[in-house]
Amino acid sequence: MKLQRMNRRALSLGALAVSGALALTACGSDDTGSSTGSSSSATAAAGSIKCDDAKGQLLADGSSAQKNAIDAWVKNFTQACSGVQVNYKGSGSGAGVTAFTQGQVAFAGSDSALKPEDVTASKAVCSGGQGIDLPMVAGPIAVAFNVSGVDDLTLDAATIAKIFDGKITKWNDAAIAKLNPDAKLPDLKIQPYHRSDESGTTDNFTKYLIAATPDNWKYEGGKAWQAKGGQAAAGSSGVAQGVKQTNGAIGYMELSYAKDGLGTVAVDTGASAPVKASSDGATKAVAAAQVVGTGSDLSLKLDYNTKAEGAYPLTLVTYEIACDKGNKAATLPATKAFLRYIASEDGQGILSGIDYAPIPDAIITKVRTTIEGLS
């Protein structure tokens, strides 16, 4: 047991080294982050990863939210399974689902579960089966800001909605001042940034606003941004870079991108204290999720309106999407080996160290069983 703990710690430290190099890489088809990890990380990975008959090139695409996690996993996996190349583009959830239903990739990543029409489309490429959702990565969506002279900021759902809908336009607005009585808020224009591409991050961000403040967010939601105004940028890294370069800016992105000079909002949920984005807060939120998928599908329903102490409501779950049956014979061994590793104790164990959150035990156990049954 002591050796296992040492191995998991070594793997986590290796992933932290990977994260440092990846946090600022572009997210999307141009996201080609590279890094070097520790030899102990490779040793831990080699000792715990089952390569089986995995070989060749494994193509995947989708969620940019999980790109930093995927890159860390790929590094460990390919060190252990040298006969496999894993190429994950991270072009966004919408692009990933499209690539999967068109048979262009072995699996896809999406921050939103498959829609019924996506499942129907997947049956054309999953011979005798269909695409299923496997929850693999949890993570807080940080609301990051760049306001000179302001280090700490608390907002509630209503204020966040009004900011991103252009109803609150100055940082010294009375609604913001009321939530931040000790802050020196400047008379400065607010510059909200949103995603320009179809994004599961947008979907989850707006689901939160719809659930927590329906009177202030009248849009239907979905992967495409619907509110008017604001600045648009591609990928989580694009939003992060825009906020970083603009005094007065605010944007939503995964916590792993909210680095180097960006502050993150503490969300007033109605609990005894505002909650900042964190891996622990995300895990507490996901622990209350319900599995609503049928058959092998493990899609989840999150409580975006949680008021539980320490639970961070702006949390997403990224699914890996694969065929339950009818996977291509040439890539099935590599697909199962890679998914098996990232769902394993070691694979999930690196997530907290790179600003993601592991999937709770009760759910990830079902994921592991489902992976073994892929055919």
Side-chain angles (χ1 to χ4, degrees), residues 127-141:
S127 180
Q130 66 181 48
I132 57 171
D133 299 289
L134 301 172
M136 202 70 73
V137 185
I141 302 173

Side-chain angles (χ1 to χ4, degrees), residues 173-195:
D173 186 273
I176 301 176
K178 184 177 180 180
L179 291 163
N180 298 274
D182 298 326
K184 294 181 179 180
L185 298 168
D187 183 9
L188 178 67
K189 182 181 178 181
I190 298 175
Q191 302 268 18
Y193 273 79
H194 60 265
R195 289 283 289 272

Side-chain angles (χ1 to χ4, degrees), residues 39-59:
S39 59
S40 59
S41 172
T43 301
S48 61
I49 294 172
K50 292 173 60 179
C51 303
D52 293 339
D53 298 322
K55 59 184 178 180
Q57 189 175 49
L58 193 61
L59 297 179

Side-chain angles (χ1 to χ4, degrees), residues 143-155 170-173 176-177 179-188 190 243 247-250 261-266 276:
V143 181
F145 65 94
N146 174 13
V147 182
S148 294
V150 179
D151 297 323
D152 297 303
L153 187 68
T154 295
L155 298 174
K170 290 291 189 72
W171 278 109
N172 61 350
D173 186 273
I176 301 176
L179 291 163
N180 298 274
D182 298 326
K184 294 181 179 180
L185 298 168
D187 183 9
L188 178 67
I190 298 175
V243 175
N247 186 27
I250 187 170
L262 294 181
T264 57
V265 167
K276 291 203 77 169

Side-chain angles (χ1 to χ4, degrees), residues 234-287:
S236 296
S237 62
V239 172
Q241 187 165 359
V243 175
K244 189 180 305 180
Q245 293 175 345
T246 309
N247 186 27
I250 187 170
Y252 59 91
M253 65 201 71
E254 292 70 42
L255 181 59
S256 62
Y257 291 93
K259 301 288 186 182
D260 299 329
L262 294 181
T264 57
V265 167
V267 179
D268 185 346
T269 64
S272 63
V275 186
K276 291 203 77 169
S278 70
S279 296
D280 287 346
T283 297
K284 288 179 181 178
V286 176

